[in-house]
Amino acid sequence: MDKNKTIFAIDDETSMHLVYEEILAEHYNLLCFSRPLEVLHMLESIRPDLIIMDVGLGEMSGYELCEAIKQKEGMALVPVVFVSGHDFSKDKGRAFFSGGSEYVMKPIDKAHFNELIKKLIEDHQPMAAPK
């Protein structure tokens, strides 16, 4: 795991920020947000290696935020993990259509979630040029 990798976590429930911190903060540079507009503003100066977001965010849905993020330069290939209490079978198509890479149901299985995040970050690293 790489403390040089940055993860944005967006959830309007601050209790979820604590969950993400418990699972990820030791190994990654974790920035937690409660409001989608903060994230869009922050993308002007910081490019995360992965984004975690709730589906229901108040100002806009996680799907709308994901679509807006994917429109930003350099963000199209950044993995997005939706975390939600909503039934996956109802939201599956919309999650992936909006640009999501994975969909995780609450409550989070911490060990599985940690492995998922690690794999997504590793899989989305730029390939080194051949020597």
Side-chain angles (χ1 to χ4, degrees):
M1 293 185 223
D2 191 343
K3 193 72 170 171
N4 293 322
K5 301 299 180 189
T6 298
I7 296 175
F8 282 10
I10 307 108
D11 200 303
D12 55 356
E13 294 179 33
T14 54
S15 62
M16 287 304 297
H17 296 187
L18 298 175
V19 171
Y20 297 135
E21 287 173 10
E22 180 183 335
I23 299 170
L24 302 169
E26 181 180 344
H27 304 290
Y28 302 101
N29 178 25
L30 178 68
L31 300 173
C32 294
F33 302 90
S34 297
R35 297 181 46 241
L37 297 179
E38 290 175 309
V39 174
L40 293 173
H41 178 71
M42 186 62 72
L43 287 172
E44 301 301 321
S45 59
I46 299 175
R47 295 286 184 216
D49 296 285
L50 183 134
I51 298 173
I52 301 164
M53 72 174 74
D54 191 9
V55 171
L57 295 172
E59 297 173 329
M60 64 176 65
S61 74
Y63 306 126
E64 293 167 323
L65 178 58
C66 186
E67 290 168 359
I69 288 170
K70 295 294 183 168
Q71 299 287 323
K72 297 249 182 213
E73 184 176 339
M75 293 301 299
L77 298 178
V78 173
V80 174
V81 178
F82 285 103
V83 178
S84 180
H86 295 115
D87 181 9
F88 176 71
S89 63
K90 294 179 182 176
D91 291 333
K92 180 179 180 180
R94 185 140 190 228
F96 295 112
F97 184 73
S98 68
S101 303
E102 292 288 339
Y103 192 103
V104 176
M105 293 288 297
K106 292 178 186 177
I108 294 173
D109 176 309
K110 294 175 184 178
H112 172 73
F113 190 73
N114 191 36
E115 286 302 313
L116 173 67
I117 299 305
K118 179 181 175 185
K119 182 176 180 344
L120 285 170
I121 287 177
E122 287 173 358
D123 288 352
H124 287 85
Q125 292 306 302
M127 297 182 74
K131 295 183 179 184

